[in-house]
PDB file of all heavy atoms in Angstrom:
ATOM      1  N   TRP B 437      -6.997  18.682  36.809  1.00  0.00           N
ATOM      2  CA  TRP B 437      -7.488  19.535  37.890  1.00  0.00           C
ATOM      3  C   TRP B 437      -8.342  18.657  38.800  1.00  0.00           C
ATOM      4  O   TRP B 437      -9.435  18.252  38.386  1.00  0.00           O
ATOM      5  CB  TRP B 437      -8.363  20.670  37.353  1.00  0.00           C
ATOM      6  CG  TRP B 437      -7.669  21.615  36.422  1.00  0.00           C
ATOM      7  CD1 TRP B 437      -6.389  22.071  36.502  1.00  0.00           C
ATOM      8  CD2 TRP B 437      -8.247  22.237  35.259  1.00  0.00           C
ATOM      9  NE1 TRP B 437      -6.121  22.924  35.471  1.00  0.00           N
ATOM     10  CE2 TRP B 437      -7.245  23.059  34.690  1.00  0.00           C
ATOM     11  CE3 TRP B 437      -9.505  22.184  34.659  1.00  0.00           C
ATOM     12  CZ2 TRP B 437      -7.472  23.810  33.542  1.00  0.00           C
ATOM     13  CZ3 TRP B 437      -9.722  22.940  33.523  1.00  0.00           C
ATOM     14  CH2 TRP B 437      -8.714  23.739  32.980  1.00  0.00           C
ATOM     15  N   LEU B 440      -9.840  15.746  37.286  1.00  0.00           N
ATOM     16  CA  LEU B 440     -10.436  15.993  35.973  1.00  0.00           C
ATOM     17  C   LEU B 440      -9.312  16.338  34.993  1.00  0.00           C
ATOM     18  O   LEU B 440      -8.757  17.427  35.052  1.00  0.00           O
ATOM     19  CB  LEU B 440     -11.435  17.149  36.039  1.00  0.00           C
ATOM     20  CG  LEU B 440     -12.027  17.538  34.685  1.00  0.00           C
ATOM     21  CD1 LEU B 440     -13.052  16.520  34.228  1.00  0.00           C
ATOM     22  CD2 LEU B 440     -12.637  18.925  34.729  1.00  0.00           C
ATOM     23  N   PRO B 441      -8.981  15.428  34.099  1.00  0.00           N
ATOM     24  CA  PRO B 441      -7.924  15.733  33.128  1.00  0.00           C
ATOM     25  C   PRO B 441      -8.317  16.933  32.273  1.00  0.00           C
ATOM     26  O   PRO B 441      -9.470  17.042  31.849  1.00  0.00           O
ATOM     27  CB  PRO B 441      -7.831  14.467  32.285  1.00  0.00           C
ATOM     28  CG  PRO B 441      -8.413  13.401  33.138  1.00  0.00           C
ATOM     29  CD  PRO B 441      -9.472  14.062  33.958  1.00  0.00           C
ATOM     30  N   VAL B 442      -7.347  17.817  32.042  1.00  0.00           N
ATOM     31  CA  VAL B 442      -7.597  19.031  31.281  1.00  0.00           C
ATOM     32  C   VAL B 442      -8.155  18.729  29.897  1.00  0.00           C
ATOM     33  O   VAL B 442      -8.944  19.485  29.338  1.00  0.00           O
ATOM     34  CB  VAL B 442      -6.276  19.815  31.130  1.00  0.00           C
ATOM     35  CG1 VAL B 442      -6.470  21.040  30.281  1.00  0.00           C
ATOM     36  CG2 VAL B 442      -5.731  20.170  32.485  1.00  0.00           C
ATOM     37  N   VAL B 443      -7.751  17.562  29.369  1.00  0.00           N
ATOM     38  CA  VAL B 443      -8.090  17.266  27.980  1.00  0.00           C
ATOM     39  C   VAL B 443      -9.601  17.066  27.807  1.00  0.00           C
ATOM     40  O   VAL B 443     -10.140  17.247  26.717  1.00  0.00           O
ATOM     41  CB  VAL B 443      -7.282  16.043  27.491  1.00  0.00           C
ATOM     42  CG1 VAL B 443      -7.694  14.786  28.209  1.00  0.00           C
ATOM     43  CG2 VAL B 443      -7.401  15.885  25.997  1.00  0.00           C
ATOM     44  N   ILE B 444     -10.329  16.739  28.904  1.00  0.00           N
ATOM     45  CA  ILE B 444     -11.765  16.469  28.748  1.00  0.00           C
ATOM     46  C   ILE B 444     -12.544  17.748  28.408  1.00  0.00           C
ATOM     47  O   ILE B 444     -13.286  17.762  27.425  1.00  0.00           O
ATOM     48  CB  ILE B 444     -12.319  15.751  29.986  1.00  0.00           C
ATOM     49  CG1 ILE B 444     -11.646  14.384  30.088  1.00  0.00           C
ATOM     50  CG2 ILE B 444     -13.823  15.585  29.909  1.00  0.00           C
ATOM     51  CD1 ILE B 444     -11.912  13.667  31.368  1.00  0.00           C
ATOM     52  N   PRO B 445     -12.379  18.843  29.202  1.00  0.00           N
ATOM     53  CA  PRO B 445     -13.031  20.084  28.749  1.00  0.00           C
ATOM     54  C   PRO B 445     -12.543  20.542  27.386  1.00  0.00           C
ATOM     55  O   PRO B 445     -13.318  21.118  26.599  1.00  0.00           O
ATOM     56  CB  PRO B 445     -12.662  21.107  29.830  1.00  0.00           C
ATOM     57  CG  PRO B 445     -11.767  20.444  30.766  1.00  0.00           C
ATOM     58  CD  PRO B 445     -11.807  18.988  30.543  1.00  0.00           C
ATOM     59  N   PHE B 446     -11.276  20.236  27.060  1.00  0.00           N
ATOM     60  CA  PHE B 446     -10.762  20.612  25.741  1.00  0.00           C
ATOM     61  C   PHE B 446     -11.522  19.886  24.637  1.00  0.00           C
ATOM     62  O   PHE B 446     -11.924  20.497  23.634  1.00  0.00           O
ATOM     63  CB  PHE B 446      -9.260  20.289  25.665  1.00  0.00           C
ATOM     64  CG  PHE B 446      -8.661  20.544  24.313  1.00  0.00           C
ATOM     65  CD1 PHE B 446      -8.435  21.840  23.874  1.00  0.00           C
ATOM     66  CD2 PHE B 446      -8.345  19.485  23.471  1.00  0.00           C
ATOM     67  CE1 PHE B 446      -7.895  22.071  22.630  1.00  0.00           C
ATOM     68  CE2 PHE B 446      -7.814  19.715  22.226  1.00  0.00           C
ATOM     69  CZ  PHE B 446      -7.578  21.009  21.804  1.00  0.00           C
ATOM     70  N   VAL B 447     -11.758  18.585  24.838  1.00  0.00           N
ATOM     71  CA  VAL B 447     -12.518  17.820  23.838  1.00  0.00           C
ATOM     72  C   VAL B 447     -13.930  18.385  23.726  1.00  0.00           C
ATOM     73  O   VAL B 447     -14.476  18.531  22.621  1.00  0.00           O
ATOM     74  CB  VAL B 447     -12.548  16.319  24.212  1.00  0.00           C
ATOM     75  CG1 VAL B 447     -13.572  15.573  23.384  1.00  0.00           C
ATOM     76  CG2 VAL B 447     -11.182  15.705  24.021  1.00  0.00           C
ATOM     77  N   ALA B 448     -14.528  18.756  24.890  1.00  0.00           N
ATOM     78  CA  ALA B 448     -15.878  19.324  24.866  1.00  0.00           C
ATOM     79  C   ALA B 448     -15.895  20.625  24.069  1.00  0.00           C
ATOM     80  O   ALA B 448     -16.790  20.850  23.236  1.00  0.00           O
ATOM     81  CB  ALA B 448     -16.358  19.566  26.293  1.00  0.00           C
ATOM     82  N   LEU B 449     -14.863  21.461  24.275  1.00  0.00           N
ATOM     83  CA  LEU B 449     -14.771  22.716  23.515  1.00  0.00           C
ATOM     84  C   LEU B 449     -14.649  22.438  22.021  1.00  0.00           C
ATOM     85  O   LEU B 449     -15.311  23.098  21.202  1.00  0.00           O
ATOM     86  CB  LEU B 449     -13.550  23.518  23.970  1.00  0.00           C
ATOM     87  CG  LEU B 449     -13.742  24.424  25.179  1.00  0.00           C
ATOM     88  CD1 LEU B 449     -12.435  25.122  25.505  1.00  0.00           C
ATOM     89  CD2 LEU B 449     -14.824  25.453  24.861  1.00  0.00           C
ATOM     90  N   MET B 450     -13.814  21.454  21.664  1.00  0.00           N
ATOM     91  CA  MET B 450     -13.643  21.111  20.253  1.00  0.00           C
ATOM     92  C   MET B 450     -14.965  20.629  19.663  1.00  0.00           C
ATOM     93  O   MET B 450     -15.304  20.932  18.521  1.00  0.00           O
ATOM     94  CB  MET B 450     -12.587  20.014  20.083  1.00  0.00           C
ATOM     95  CG  MET B 450     -11.161  20.441  20.281  1.00  0.00           C
ATOM     96  SD  MET B 450     -10.678  21.831  19.256  1.00  0.00           S
ATOM     97  CE  MET B 450     -10.798  21.111  17.632  1.00  0.00           C
TER      98      MET B 450
END
Side-chain angles (χ1 to χ4, degrees):
Chain B
W437 298 322
L440 176 75
V442 177
V443 67
I444 296 170
F446 176 73
V447 167
L449 274 179
M450 286 306 295

